[in-house]
């Protein structure tokens, strides 16, 4: 299952999240690929593509993401809140680790043609 975390116009948030995931003991094994856009802004980081192959990877990512959000609460992070999987786009910035893991498991079981969901 591949998910994309959108930058939402906050490249620094994506950079910080990518660094956080690479340092987290459980999440560092995840496949995380930066997605850049070229143009006038010269390869701005646009999103992170993350591959989650097993249930444990979903849980590890969910806990790491939720921990990162809590750690950055004082930084007023506005980016890296939008998750896209197939046809689904969801604001995940308010979810705790268990809620995010549940959402990812539901998206995985529904397949990639699920429409757009807002929460």
């Amino acid at each position: 299952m591949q998910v994309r975390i959108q930058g939402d116009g906050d490249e620094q948030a994506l950079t910080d999240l990518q660094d956080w995931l690479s340092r987290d003991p459980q999440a560092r094994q995840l496949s995380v690929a930066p997605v850049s856009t070229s143009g006038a802004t010269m390869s701005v980081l646009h999103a992170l593509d993350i591959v989650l192959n097993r249930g444990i990877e979903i849980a590890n990512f969910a806990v790491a993401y939720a921990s990162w959000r809590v750690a950055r609460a004082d930084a007023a992070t506005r980016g890296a809140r939008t998750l896209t999987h197939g046809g689904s786009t969801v604001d995940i910035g308010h979810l705790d680790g268990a809620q995010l893991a549940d959402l990812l498991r539901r998206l995985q079981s529904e397949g990639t043609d699920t429409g757009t969901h807002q929460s």
Side-chain angles (χ1 to χ4, degrees), residues 27-115:
R28 78 173 66 156
Q29 298 171 14
L30 298 175
S31 172
V32 179
V35 179
S36 297
T37 56
S38 58
T41 53
M42 299 290 292
S43 298
V44 169
L45 187 61
H46 171 70
L48 296 176
D49 281 346
I50 303 168
V51 178
L52 306 168
N53 290 315
R54 302 180 318 253
I56 191 73
E57 290 177 343
I58 288 173
N60 289 343
F61 169 70
V63 168
Y65 179 85
S67 298
W68 173 76
R69 294 295 306 180
V70 168
R72 294 211 16 113
D74 292 338
T77 301
R78 69 181 195 281
R81 299 178 53 97
T82 305
L83 179 138
T84 303
H85 172 64
S88 297
T89 301
V90 184
D91 179 348
I92 60 170
H94 63 286
L95 300 178
D96 66 26
Q99 293 168 325
L100 180 54
D102 181 58
L103 171 68
L104 290 168
R105 287 185 193 105
R106 284 186 283 130
L107 288 173
Q108 184 180 40
S109 69
E110 290 176 9
T112 58
D113 191 18
T114 59

